[in-house]
Amino acid sequence: LNGPNLNMLGVREPGIYGTVDYEGMVNFVKEGCAAIGVETEFYQSNHEGSLVDAIQSALGLYDGIVINPGAYTHTSIAILDALKAVALPAAEVHISDVTKREPFRQISYAGMACQVHVIGQGIAGYVQAAAQLKAQIEQDGEPENYLCHGDLNQHHILLAEENEMAVIEFNRMHRGVQVEDLYHFTRKIL
């Protein structure tokens, strides 16, 4: 799920976001996710309400959400509330390293509802996020919160109060279902 201006990849600030256009990014991510057994669908909008609608529509259709909210990362409580409402496992992706950018980019509202965070890994971050989200969905016990930043081999567990509601809802939705049974479902991530 991609937010505002991501449709301008390849044109918009290539020194920050790279030279691959949106269609090229979608093809790269589809191929990378297919290789790890994750079925994907893509949606991009420059409009906050459309992104909220897409998140709400994911409930009952998808196993998880990989989201790059673009600039709405730093402003949209509506996207945060939608992610909390559907309580699907979610991963936040940022192509650039937002931690090294402007001060206003240091807040991530959407990230408060995400269990996985992949920051500054370019378009490969989408595949990394899908892989981490898939592993989290399939693992025994409660989902953990992972951050992938900088070195691809370093994963730091984050204990975030904001994610407790999503964890509780995820566990409640799958109560009585054995983890082994979950392996047989096709993983679909929006």
Side-chain angles (χ1 to χ4, degrees):
L1 183 59
N2 288 287
N5 297 311
L6 287 157
N7 58 311
M8 298 298 291
L9 285 177
V11 174
R12 178 185 176 214
E13 300 178 89
I16 295 174
Y17 299 103
T19 57
V20 176
D21 66 9
Y22 185 76
E23 184 179 336
M25 181 274 292
V26 166
N27 290 332
F28 175 85
V29 175
K30 274 185 185 178
E31 290 174 14
C33 286
I36 60 170
V38 174
E39 185 180 339
T40 56
E41 291 193 27
F42 294 82
Y43 180 75
Q44 186 279 326
S45 179
N46 294 319
H47 306 284
E48 184 178 30
S50 295
L51 296 168
V52 169
D53 290 343
I55 292 166
Q56 292 175 357
S57 296
L59 186 61
L61 295 176
Y62 300 100
D63 296 301
I65 297 172
V66 173
I67 184 169
N68 181 343
Y72 288 133
T73 300
H74 321 293
T75 63
S76 182
I77 295 169
I79 290 174
L80 165 63
D81 286 347
L83 288 167
K84 285 182 170 182
V86 299
L88 289 168
E92 173 186 33
V93 174
H94 293 286
I95 294 170
S96 69
D97 187 347
V98 292
T99 67
K100 295 180 180 173
R101 295 188 62 196
E102 301 92 342
F104 68 85
R105 295 189 194 272
Q106 303 311 304
I107 287 183
S108 173
Y109 289 106
M112 294 176 188
C114 294
Q115 296 78 36
V116 173
H117 306 268
V118 181
I119 300 165
Q121 299 302 313
I123 63 172
Y126 288 93
V127 178
Q128 294 167 28
Q132 290 180 37
L133 199 56
K134 178 185 178 201
Q136 180 177 318
I137 291 168
E138 292 176 341
Q139 79 182 9
D140 252 333
E142 286 189 358
E144 294 177 347
N145 301 306
Y146 288 96
L147 169 68
C148 180
H149 173 90
D151 184 348
L152 301 182
N153 295 318
Q154 291 182 357
H155 299 283
H156 306 282
I157 295 176
L158 301 175
L159 300 173
E161 277 186 30
E162 296 87 5
N163 293 324
E164 286 180 7
M165 182 66 83
V167 169
I168 291 165
E169 183 65 22
F170 177 81
N171 288 338
R172 189 173 61 168
M173 288 180 351
H174 294 291
R175 186 177 296 133
V177 176
Q178 296 300 314
V179 172
E180 299 80 39
D181 296 334
L182 294 176
Y183 289 126
H184 300 293
F185 295 131
T186 301
R187 295 286 159 229
K188 283 181 81 173
I189 296 177
L190 172 65

